[in-house]
Amino acid sequence: MPVIRVNGDDFFVKLDGPATAPVLLLSNSLSSDLSMWDDQVPVWAQRFRVVRYDQRGHGSTVVSAEPYSMDQLGRDAVGVMDALGIKTAHWCGLSLGGMVGMWMLTHAPERIDKAVLANTAAYMGPVELWNGRIETARRGGMRALVEPTIERWFPEHFRQAAPATMDRMRAMILRTPIEGYTGCCAAIRDMDQRTAIRSITNSVLVIIGSRDPATKPADGELIVSSIGNAKTVIFDAAHISNIEQPKAFASTVIEFLA
């Protein structure tokens, strides 16, 4: 069942692991797709029913008219769960996926058990930053964004040491639909969950990258300080920490969810 209908739109999903195991729902970052979790799924699928989906406007999921909103992206996640008959699930989201996770925890907390929010922020200003990225995408396509994105995602020493991984990441960015990218940029631009997340009571793990230039350590620390039942882990990594530290990321999530 690779394509499901969510609120009348087509969403691309992948399911791994035992059908009777607890569900772990994964949510991808901006300008990525569900393949960003390929390093972790074989490990997690031994313990969980791993469900991945491409965000709206990304991968093989519908590219609808922009702009998008965090409310829309959150309702997409609820719709994926409904379409698959999932009542509750653990959550793991990185960057944009973590932002959607915060929406879930504040608007549909009964659907989430434990949540991992990795390399993310409750607010990401300024507005001009996101308007600039939207304009760059419209003028030059994803090719104009691929190298700046790679440089934000990974430190230079890792880029030099893992050329095959960098090629895989570049290909993933380049196949992101422009309208999906700009639509999700608008959702991030217009998001401010700093007050809402204070109501979260679920058990939450916040993963912070000590070298992250996009969602800085202070952004993660704000989330931790706002959620009463939150823990934190700091990786020696930049923004896409599950790619840079694949084994540590996989084991940390399992330890938290166990």
Side-chain angles (χ1 to χ4, degrees), residues 26-67:
L26 308 181
S27 188
N28 59 284
S29 69
L30 179 69
S31 59
S32 75
D33 56 43
L34 54 74
S35 71
M36 71 172 286
W37 302 108
D38 283 354
D39 293 340
Q40 284 76 48
V41 167
V43 178
W44 292 341
Q46 297 177 39
R47 301 277 297 271
F48 301 102
R49 179 65 160 174
V50 180
V51 178
R52 295 180 276 172
Y53 73 99
D54 287 333
Q55 297 276 10
R56 178 177 294 272
H58 288 64
S60 298
T61 285
V62 65
V63 181
S64 58
E66 57 177 320

Side-chain angles (χ1 to χ4, degrees), residues 161-219:
T165 298
M166 293 303 96
D167 288 345
R168 179 163 63 99
M169 295 296 101
R170 287 187 181 95
M172 183 176 68
I173 295 165
L174 288 169
R175 65 177 176 257
T176 301
I178 294 170
E179 297 84 354
Y181 174 84
T182 57
C184 284
C185 279
I188 298 172
R189 177 195 65 196
D190 299 338
M191 171 197 72
D192 188 348
Q193 303 192 80
R194 289 175 292 183
T195 298
I197 60 174
R198 296 174 190 165
S199 68
I200 295 173
T201 58
N202 303 62
S203 183
V204 172
L205 175 67
V206 178
I207 294 178
I208 295 171
S210 64
R211 301 169 181 259
D212 191 343
T215 51
K216 297 177 175 64
D219 295 316

